[in-house]
Amino acid sequence: MMKCSTFLGMIAVAAALQTAGAAEIIGAVTLSGTPPPEVKYTPLMADPTCGKLHKTMPTTHFYVVGANSGLGDVVVSLQGISGQSTGASAKPAELDQKGCLYHPQILAVQTGQKILVKNSDPVIHNIDIQPSASSGNQPFNLAQMPGTPPLTVSFSKPEMFIKVKCDVHPWMFAWISVFDHPYFAVTDKDGHFKIENVKPGTYTIEAIHRKAGKETKTIQVKEGAPTEVNFVLKAP
Ligand SMILES: [Cu+2]
């Protein structure tokens, strides 16, 4: 027979995973048209240390296009929501420096959510993050030696596509988007996304890609089956 405490524990876990009366939004973003060719990281390969970390020439991946023209690295979020951040208690996000490139290149977090910046390379990196001056977010400029523990950064205000760069390796870039609510996602390599624990209601939802622009839609989220919404962005 199951112990009462075990049973209560299971209820608590289930409640944490899905708030009662909440629903989820699922969908996909696809790219129409042909994206421009990606750029070879020639300076990376010419670097005596970074070049040895790659067997073949790496390229930019501004357009991550997968199965069925699904577009990755699209930031999908509910609009018009503020002051609902759960970032302080959220699992930290990770930004790794590997092969003298950032992984992921597109990251989305909540205000107050920790971002652990890892250095998986045998070289020094310098993480240089300059939010827009009007955002109220704090800039960072931190050197990180190989083999040292992750650095922690976080942002207090919402802001889209904050640029991250490395002052040692001028080809390294990543972009962090910050929300003051948990209702966002970044599409996977095949363009899929899922936003959980949404209260039923009418919302404006936006899909935005750094290069392919954005599309917004109005959706009705209902309890029960997931609400599906799909976007099509155009290659320039
Ligand atoms: Cu670097």
Side-chain angles (χ1 to χ4, degrees):
M1 185 177 158
M2 189 184 287
K3 279 185 187 169
C4 184
S5 60
T6 308
F7 181 64
L8 290 174
M10 287 168 67
I11 291 175
V13 168
L17 292 174
Q18 181 78 23
T19 308
E24 63 181 28
I25 304 167
I26 59 166
V29 181
T30 53
L31 184 75
S32 74
T34 305
E38 300 286 347
V39 180
K40 288 176 183 172
Y41 277 122
T42 310
L44 186 162
M45 287 306 263
D47 182 279
T49 314
C50 294
K52 286 195 190 114
L53 303 173
H54 293 268
K55 290 197 178 100
T56 55
M57 172 73 79
T59 68
T60 55
H61 40 281
F62 293 128
Y63 292 88
V64 177
V65 183
N68 304 313
S69 300
L71 182 62
D73 280 350
V74 180
V75 181
V76 182
S77 65
L78 298 186
Q79 301 291 292
I81 300 175
S82 62
Q84 293 188 31
S85 179
T86 58
S89 58
K91 184 175 175 238
E94 285 191 3
L95 179 63
D96 196 6
Q97 298 160 111
K98 195 172 184 185
C100 296
L101 293 169
Y102 288 113
H103 301 275
Q105 186 170 278
I106 300 292
L107 182 63
V109 295
Q110 294 190 66
T111 52
Q113 183 176 4
K114 286 179 180 166
I115 303 169
L116 304 178
V117 183
K118 294 164 68 180
N119 185 356
S120 298
D121 284 335
V123 297
I124 184 174
H125 290 293
N126 187 96
I127 181 149
D128 185 352
I129 309 178
Q130 301 296 331
S132 77
S134 61
S135 69
N137 281 320
Q138 181 196 343
F140 294 91
N141 197 338
L142 304 162
Q144 190 173 28
M145 298 296 289
T148 54
L151 299 169
T152 302
V153 300
S154 68
F155 301 95
S156 60
K157 306 289 181 196
E159 186 174 351
M160 293 302 290
F161 297 124
I162 304 172
K163 195 174 192 176
V164 181
K165 65 190 177 85
C166 176
D167 296 334
V168 183
H169 307 110
W171 58 81
M172 288 179 70
F173 294 105
W175 289 269
I176 301 172
S177 294
V178 186
F179 296 93
D180 62 351
H181 59 77
Y183 308 114
F184 61 87
V186 178
T187 57
D188 67 16
K189 63 180 176 56
D190 292 320
H192 296 117
F193 70 90
K194 178 159 82 172
I195 300 175
E196 294 177 293
N197 288 325
V198 180
K199 284 190 191 124
T202 304
Y203 296 95
T204 301
I205 185 168
E206 177 188 87
I208 183 165
H209 182 268
R210 272 199 67 251
K211 299 278 188 183
K214 66 181 178 181
E215 185 180 21
T216 57
K217 291 195 168 186
T218 302
I219 53 165
Q220 290 276 350
V221 175
K222 291 177 184 156
E223 214 176 316
T227 303
E228 186 173 351
V229 55
N230 299 304
F231 298 91
V232 181
L233 298 181
K234 290 189 185 71

mmCIF file of all heavy atoms in Angstrom, residues 12-54:
data_model
loop_
_atom_site.group_PDB
_atom_site.id
_atom_site.type_symbol
_atom_site.label_atom_id
_atom_site.label_comp_id
_atom_site.label_asym_id
_atom_site.label_seq_id
_atom_site.Cartn_x
_atom_site.Cartn_y
_atom_site.Cartn_z
ATOM 1 N N ALA A 12 2.020 16.785 -5.055
ATOM 2 C CA ALA A 12 2.783 18.032 -5.074
ATOM 3 C C ALA A 12 3.589 18.150 -6.363
ATOM 4 O O ALA A 12 3.632 19.204 -6.990
ATOM 5 C CB ALA A 12 3.695 18.105 -3.860
ATOM 6 N N VAL A 13 4.196 17.013 -6.787
ATOM 7 C CA VAL A 13 5.000 17.028 -8.015
ATOM 8 C C VAL A 13 4.110 17.323 -9.210
ATOM 9 O O VAL A 13 4.419 18.161 -10.056
ATOM 10 C CB VAL A 13 5.731 15.670 -8.191
ATOM 11 C CG1 VAL A 13 6.325 15.576 -9.588
ATOM 12 C CG2 VAL A 13 6.812 15.518 -7.135
ATOM 13 N N ALA A 14 2.948 16.660 -9.254
ATOM 14 C CA ALA A 14 2.025 16.872 -10.381
ATOM 15 C C ALA A 14 1.574 18.332 -10.430
ATOM 16 O O ALA A 14 1.495 18.933 -11.497
ATOM 17 C CB ALA A 14 0.816 15.948 -10.242
ATOM 18 N N ALA A 15 1.316 18.914 -9.262
ATOM 19 C CA ALA A 15 0.862 20.309 -9.207
ATOM 20 C C ALA A 15 1.953 21.252 -9.689
ATOM 21 O O ALA A 15 1.684 22.235 -10.369
ATOM 22 C CB ALA A 15 0.454 20.666 -7.777
ATOM 23 N N ALA A 16 3.197 20.912 -9.342
ATOM 24 C CA ALA A 16 4.309 21.756 -9.762
ATOM 25 C C ALA A 16 4.479 21.714 -11.274
ATOM 26 O O ALA A 16 4.862 22.696 -11.901
ATOM 27 C CB ALA A 16 5.589 21.303 -9.064
ATOM 28 N N LEU A 17 4.201 20.540 -11.877
ATOM 29 C CA LEU A 17 4.389 20.391 -13.315
ATOM 30 C C LEU A 17 3.302 21.120 -14.090
ATOM 31 O O LEU A 17 3.545 21.690 -15.127
ATOM 32 C CB LEU A 17 4.390 18.904 -13.688
ATOM 33 C CG LEU A 17 5.585 18.102 -13.172
ATOM 34 C CD1 LEU A 17 5.395 16.627 -13.477
ATOM 35 C CD2 LEU A 17 6.888 18.601 -13.780
ATOM 36 N N GLN A 18 2.091 21.092 -13.598
ATOM 37 C CA GLN A 18 0.981 21.704 -14.337
ATOM 38 C C GLN A 18 0.009 22.305 -13.339
ATOM 39 O O GLN A 18 -0.621 21.580 -12.585
ATOM 40 C CB GLN A 18 0.282 20.638 -15.205
ATOM 41 C CG GLN A 18 -0.872 21.168 -16.023
ATOM 42 C CD GLN A 18 -0.413 21.915 -17.269
ATOM 43 O OE1 GLN A 18 0.686 21.714 -17.757
ATOM 44 N NE2 GLN A 18 -1.235 22.809 -17.760
ATOM 45 N N THR A 19 -0.094 23.604 -13.333
ATOM 46 C CA THR A 19 -1.024 24.267 -12.431
ATOM 47 C C THR A 19 -2.454 23.880 -12.795
ATOM 48 O O THR A 19 -2.799 23.797 -13.972
ATOM 49 C CB THR A 19 -0.847 25.797 -12.551
ATOM 50 O OG1 THR A 19 0.529 26.088 -12.378
ATOM 51 C CG2 THR A 19 -1.649 26.536 -11.495
ATOM 52 N N ALA A 20 -3.264 23.640 -11.792
ATOM 53 C CA ALA A 20 -4.650 23.250 -12.031
ATOM 54 C C ALA A 20 -5.350 24.307 -12.870
ATOM 55 O O ALA A 20 -5.187 25.501 -12.644
ATOM 56 C CB ALA A 20 -5.357 23.067 -10.697
ATOM 57 N N GLY A 21 -6.132 23.870 -13.831
ATOM 58 C CA GLY A 21 -6.883 24.803 -14.657
ATOM 59 C C GLY A 21 -6.055 25.488 -15.723
ATOM 60 O O GLY A 21 -6.548 26.359 -16.414
ATOM 61 N N ALA A 22 -4.793 25.114 -15.848
ATOM 62 C CA ALA A 22 -3.928 25.752 -16.840
ATOM 63 C C ALA A 22 -3.822 24.879 -18.077
ATOM 64 O O ALA A 22 -4.135 23.698 -18.049
ATOM 65 C CB ALA A 22 -2.554 26.007 -16.269
ATOM 66 N N ALA A 23 -3.383 25.495 -19.134
ATOM 67 C CA ALA A 23 -3.313 24.782 -20.401
ATOM 68 C C ALA A 23 -1.951 24.998 -21.039
ATOM 69 O O ALA A 23 -1.142 25.771 -20.519
ATOM 70 C CB ALA A 23 -4.417 25.296 -21.326
ATOM 71 N N GLU A 24 -1.728 24.317 -22.141
ATOM 72 C CA GLU A 24 -0.458 24.538 -22.839
ATOM 73 C C GLU A 24 -0.706 24.934 -24.283
ATOM 74 O O GLU A 24 -1.743 24.639 -24.871
ATOM 75 C CB GLU A 24 0.466 23.326 -22.735
ATOM 76 C CG GLU A 24 -0.041 22.066 -23.363
ATOM 77 C CD GLU A 24 0.956 20.922 -23.180
ATOM 78 O OE1 GLU A 24 1.711 20.933 -22.200
ATOM 79 O OE2 GLU A 24 0.960 20.026 -24.027
ATOM 80 N N ILE A 25 0.298 25.628 -24.808
ATOM 81 C CA ILE A 25 0.267 26.081 -26.200
ATOM 82 C C ILE A 25 1.397 25.365 -26.915
ATOM 83 O O ILE A 25 2.539 25.370 -26.429
ATOM 84 C CB ILE A 25 0.489 27.610 -26.289
ATOM 85 C CG1 ILE A 25 -0.552 28.358 -25.436
ATOM 86 C CG2 ILE A 25 0.428 28.084 -27.730
ATOM 87 C CD1 ILE A 25 -0.211 29.831 -25.218
ATOM 88 N N ILE A 26 1.074 24.736 -28.027
ATOM 89 C CA ILE A 26 2.107 24.063 -28.810
ATOM 90 C C ILE A 26 2.026 24.562 -30.247
ATOM 91 O O ILE A 26 1.005 25.104 -30.670
ATOM 92 C CB ILE A 26 1.959 22.520 -28.788
ATOM 93 C CG1 ILE A 26 0.585 22.120 -29.352
ATOM 94 C CG2 ILE A 26 2.163 21.976 -27.382
ATOM 95 C CD1 ILE A 26 0.488 20.654 -29.671
ATOM 96 N N GLY A 27 3.107 24.367 -30.973
ATOM 97 C CA GLY A 27 3.068 24.748 -32.368
ATOM 98 C C GLY A 27 4.426 24.662 -33.012
ATOM 99 O O GLY A 27 5.377 24.119 -32.434
ATOM 100 N N ALA A 28 4.501 25.213 -34.208
ATOM 101 C CA ALA A 28 5.746 25.191 -34.949
ATOM 102 C C ALA A 28 5.890 26.477 -35.755
ATOM 103 O O ALA A 28 4.892 27.100 -36.120
ATOM 104 C CB ALA A 28 5.792 23.984 -35.887
ATOM 105 N N VAL A 29 7.130 26.848 -35.978
ATOM 106 C CA VAL A 29 7.442 27.978 -36.848
ATOM 107 C C VAL A 29 8.149 27.401 -38.066
ATOM 108 O O VAL A 29 9.075 26.598 -37.925
ATOM 109 C CB VAL A 29 8.358 28.995 -36.146
ATOM 110 C CG1 VAL A 29 8.645 30.180 -37.067
ATOM 111 C CG2 VAL A 29 7.748 29.466 -34.829
ATOM 112 N N THR A 30 7.668 27.798 -39.242
ATOM 113 C CA THR A 30 8.349 27.354 -40.461
ATOM 114 C C THR A 30 8.875 28.560 -41.222
ATOM 115 O O THR A 30 8.386 29.681 -41.054
ATOM 116 C CB THR A 30 7.407 26.532 -41.374
ATOM 117 O OG1 THR A 30 6.223 27.287 -41.600
ATOM 118 C CG2 THR A 30 7.045 25.209 -40.741
ATOM 119 N N LEU A 31 9.884 28.308 -42.027
ATOM 120 C CA LEU A 31 10.489 29.361 -42.846
ATOM 121 C C LEU A 31 10.051 29.169 -44.286
ATOM 122 O O LEU A 31 10.191 28.078 -44.834
ATOM 123 C CB LEU A 31 12.021 29.296 -42.743
ATOM 124 C CG LEU A 31 12.754 30.410 -43.493
ATOM 125 C CD1 LEU A 31 12.630 31.729 -42.727
ATOM 126 C CD2 LEU A 31 14.236 30.062 -43.678
ATOM 127 N N SER A 32 9.512 30.234 -44.891
ATOM 128 C CA SER A 32 9.213 30.155 -46.323
ATOM 129 C C SER A 32 10.346 30.840 -47.074
ATOM 130 O O SER A 32 10.876 31.858 -46.620
ATOM 131 C CB SER A 32 7.867 30.803 -46.635
ATOM 132 O OG SER A 32 7.963 32.199 -46.571
ATOM 133 N N GLY A 33 10.683 30.266 -48.198
ATOM 134 C CA GLY A 33 11.786 30.830 -48.981
ATOM 135 C C GLY A 33 13.114 30.212 -48.590
ATOM 136 O O GLY A 33 13.195 29.367 -47.691
ATOM 137 N N THR A 34 14.142 30.658 -49.280
ATOM 138 C CA THR A 34 15.478 30.096 -49.074
ATOM 139 C C THR A 34 16.341 31.090 -48.321
ATOM 140 O O THR A 34 16.489 32.229 -48.747
ATOM 141 C CB THR A 34 16.141 29.773 -50.432
ATOM 142 O OG1 THR A 34 15.257 28.926 -51.162
ATOM 143 C CG2 THR A 34 17.481 29.082 -50.260
ATOM 144 N N PRO A 35 16.893 30.681 -47.179
ATOM 145 C CA PRO A 35 17.733 31.619 -46.427
ATOM 146 C C PRO A 35 19.057 31.869 -47.145
ATOM 147 O O PRO A 35 19.505 31.032 -47.934
ATOM 148 C CB PRO A 35 17.970 30.892 -45.102
ATOM 149 C CG PRO A 35 17.779 29.446 -45.408
ATOM 150 C CD PRO A 35 16.785 29.362 -46.537
ATOM 151 N N PRO A 36 19.672 33.020 -46.914
ATOM 152 C CA PRO A 36 20.988 33.273 -47.513
ATOM 153 C C PRO A 36 22.007 32.283 -46.973
ATOM 154 O O PRO A 36 21.823 31.748 -45.886
ATOM 155 C CB PRO A 36 21.317 34.704 -47.048
ATOM 156 C CG PRO A 36 20.405 34.983 -45.909
ATOM 157 C CD PRO A 36 19.211 34.108 -46.049
ATOM 158 N N PRO A 37 23.075 32.048 -47.754
ATOM 159 C CA PRO A 37 24.087 31.095 -47.280
ATOM 160 C C PRO A 37 24.732 31.571 -45.978
ATOM 161 O O PRO A 37 24.889 32.772 -45.762
ATOM 162 C CB PRO A 37 25.113 31.046 -48.419
ATOM 163 C CG PRO A 37 24.732 32.084 -49.398
ATOM 164 C CD PRO A 37 23.397 32.642 -49.035
ATOM 165 N N GLU A 38 25.053 30.633 -45.115
ATOM 166 C CA GLU A 38 25.745 30.964 -43.864
ATOM 167 C C GLU A 38 27.199 31.333 -44.167
ATOM 168 O O GLU A 38 27.730 31.013 -45.233
ATOM 169 C CB GLU A 38 25.673 29.778 -42.903
ATOM 170 C CG GLU A 38 24.237 29.372 -42.535
ATOM 171 C CD GLU A 38 23.540 30.344 -41.570
ATOM 172 O OE1 GLU A 38 24.228 31.214 -40.986
ATOM 173 O OE2 GLU A 38 22.305 30.224 -41.402
ATOM 174 N N VAL A 39 27.824 32.021 -43.218
ATOM 175 C CA VAL A 39 29.183 32.543 -43.423
ATOM 176 C C VAL A 39 30.197 31.616 -42.735
ATOM 177 O O VAL A 39 29.969 31.186 -41.608
ATOM 178 C CB VAL A 39 29.293 33.963 -42.819
ATOM 179 C CG1 VAL A 39 30.692 34.536 -43.013
ATOM 180 C CG2 VAL A 39 28.234 34.873 -43.418
ATOM 181 N N LYS A 40 31.270 31.308 -43.442
ATOM 182 C CA LYS A 40 32.322 30.461 -42.859
ATOM 183 C C LYS A 40 33.045 31.209 -41.744
ATOM 184 O O LYS A 40 33.354 32.405 -41.893
ATOM 185 C CB LYS A 40 33.339 30.063 -43.929
ATOM 186 C CG LYS A 40 32.796 29.065 -44.917
ATOM 187 C CD LYS A 40 33.843 28.794 -45.996
ATOM 188 C CE LYS A 40 33.274 27.841 -47.023
ATOM 189 N NZ LYS A 40 34.157 27.692 -48.171
ATOM 190 N N TYR A 41 33.355 30.492 -40.669
ATOM 191 C CA TYR A 41 34.118 31.096 -39.573
ATOM 192 C C TYR A 41 35.623 30.990 -39.883
ATOM 193 O O TYR A 41 36.366 30.327 -39.162
ATOM 194 C CB TYR A 41 33.812 30.376 -38.268
ATOM 195 C CG TYR A 41 32.555 30.845 -37.565
ATOM 196 C CD1 TYR A 41 31.532 29.952 -37.293
ATOM 197 C CD2 TYR A 41 32.409 32.163 -37.142
ATOM 198 C CE1 TYR A 41 30.378 30.363 -36.620
ATOM 199 C CE2 TYR A 41 31.258 32.582 -36.472
ATOM 200 C CZ TYR A 41 30.252 31.675 -36.221
ATOM 201 O OH TYR A 41 29.126 32.082 -35.548
ATOM 202 N N THR A 42 36.034 31.674 -40.954
ATOM 203 C CA THR A 42 37.439 31.605 -41.365
ATOM 204 C C THR A 42 38.402 32.104 -40.274
ATOM 205 O O THR A 42 39.419 31.451 -40.025
ATOM 206 C CB THR A 42 37.642 32.405 -42.673
ATOM 207 O OG1 THR A 42 36.653 31.981 -43.596
ATOM 208 C CG2 THR A 42 39.013 32.174 -43.260
ATOM 209 N N PRO A 43 38.104 33.231 -39.597
ATOM 210 C CA PRO A 43 39.037 33.685 -38.546
ATOM 211 C C PRO A 43 39.144 32.704 -37.375
ATOM 212 O O PRO A 43 40.210 32.579 -36.769
ATOM 213 C CB PRO A 43 38.420 35.007 -38.069
ATOM 214 C CG PRO A 43 37.438 35.414 -39.113
ATOM 215 C CD PRO A 43 36.986 34.155 -39.782
ATOM 216 N N LEU A 44 38.051 31.993 -37.089
ATOM 217 C CA LEU A 44 38.107 30.976 -36.025
ATOM 218 C C LEU A 44 39.095 29.878 -36.411
ATOM 219 O O LEU A 44 39.956 29.486 -35.610
ATOM 220 C CB LEU A 44 36.709 30.390 -35.799
ATOM 221 C CG LEU A 44 36.499 29.411 -34.636
ATOM 222 C CD1 LEU A 44 35.012 29.297 -34.297
ATOM 223 C CD2 LEU A 44 37.058 28.031 -34.874
ATOM 224 N N MET A 45 38.979 29.376 -37.663
ATOM 225 C CA MET A 45 39.856 28.290 -38.099
ATOM 226 C C MET A 45 41.314 28.749 -38.206
ATOM 227 O O MET A 45 42.232 27.945 -38.092
ATOM 228 C CB MET A 45 39.379 27.722 -39.437
ATOM 229 C CG MET A 45 38.122 26.888 -39.310
ATOM 230 S SD MET A 45 38.255 25.543 -38.093
ATOM 231 C CE MET A 45 38.652 24.157 -39.156
ATOM 232 N N ALA A 46 41.504 30.056 -38.425
ATOM 233 C CA ALA A 46 42.870 30.587 -38.538
ATOM 234 C C ALA A 46 43.502 30.794 -37.157
ATOM 235 O O ALA A 46 44.717 30.955 -37.041
ATOM 236 C CB ALA A 46 42.843 31.911 -39.303
ATOM 237 N N ASP A 47 42.671 30.776 -36.119
ATOM 238 C CA ASP A 47 43.186 30.974 -34.757
ATOM 239 C C ASP A 47 43.910 29.695 -34.319
ATOM 240 O O ASP A 47 43.363 28.602 -34.414
ATOM 241 C CB ASP A 47 42.011 31.272 -33.815
ATOM 242 C CG ASP A 47 42.475 31.533 -32.398
ATOM 243 O OD1 ASP A 47 42.736 30.552 -31.657
ATOM 244 O OD2 ASP A 47 42.578 32.711 -32.020
ATOM 245 N N PRO A 48 45.162 29.826 -33.845
ATOM 246 C CA PRO A 48 45.945 28.621 -33.550
ATOM 247 C C PRO A 48 45.301 27.703 -32.501
ATOM 248 O O PRO A 48 45.427 26.482 -32.605
ATOM 249 C CB PRO A 48 47.283 29.163 -33.045
ATOM 250 C CG PRO A 48 47.160 30.637 -32.950
ATOM 251 C CD PRO A 48 45.908 31.058 -33.642
ATOM 252 N N THR A 49 44.586 28.230 -31.550
ATOM 253 C CA THR A 49 43.979 27.381 -30.524
ATOM 254 C C THR A 49 42.560 26.978 -30.895
ATOM 255 O O THR A 49 42.211 25.794 -30.887
ATOM 256 C CB THR A 49 43.953 28.104 -29.157
ATOM 257 O OG1 THR A 49 45.231 28.692 -28.942
ATOM 258 C CG2 THR A 49 43.641 27.136 -28.041
ATOM 259 N N CYS A 50 41.743 27.963 -31.241
ATOM 260 C CA CYS A 50 40.337 27.675 -31.555
ATOM 261 C C CYS A 50 40.210 26.776 -32.786
ATOM 262 O O CYS A 50 39.344 25.903 -32.841
ATOM 263 C CB CYS A 50 39.562 28.963 -31.772
ATOM 264 S SG CYS A 50 39.417 29.983 -30.290
ATOM 265 N N GLY A 51 41.061 26.995 -33.782
ATOM 266 C CA GLY A 51 40.998 26.214 -35.019
ATOM 267 C C GLY A 51 41.182 24.726 -34.775
ATOM 268 O O GLY A 51 40.567 23.888 -35.443
ATOM 269 N N LYS A 52 42.015 24.397 -33.772
ATOM 270 C CA LYS A 52 42.265 22.967 -33.472
ATOM 271 C C LYS A 52 41.040 22.289 -32.864
ATOM 272 O O LYS A 52 40.988 21.065 -32.763
ATOM 273 C CB LYS A 52 43.426 22.863 -32.475
ATOM 274 C CG LYS A 52 44.778 23.150 -33.077
ATOM 275 C CD LYS A 52 45.871 22.659 -32.139
ATOM 276 C CE LYS A 52 47.223 23.155 -32.627
ATOM 277 N NZ LYS A 52 47.833 24.095 -31.711
ATOM 278 N N LEU A 53 40.065 23.076 -32.412
ATOM 279 C CA LEU A 53 38.879 22.505 -31.759
ATOM 280 C C LEU A 53 37.811 22.076 -32.766
ATOM 281 O O LEU A 53 36.757 21.577 -32.389
ATOM 282 C CB LEU A 53 38.282 23.528 -30.777
ATOM 283 C CG LEU A 53 39.254 24.037 -29.692
ATOM 284 C CD1 LEU A 53 38.629 25.163 -28.886
ATOM 285 C CD2 LEU A 53 39.680 22.894 -28.776
ATOM 286 N N HIS A 54 38.091 22.288 -34.061
ATOM 287 C CA HIS A 54 37.130 21.913 -35.111
ATOM 288 C C HIS A 54 37.829 21.074 -36.170
ATOM 289 O O HIS A 54 38.917 21.421 -36.620
ATOM 290 C CB HIS A 54 36.543 23.168 -35.775
ATOM 291 C CG HIS A 54 35.679 23.969 -34.844
ATOM 292 N ND1 HIS A 54 34.328 23.795 -34.746
ATOM 293 C CD2 HIS A 54 36.005 24.929 -33.940
ATOM 294 C CE1 HIS A 54 33.844 24.620 -33.828
ATOM 295 N NE2 HIS A 54 34.838 25.323 -33.328
#
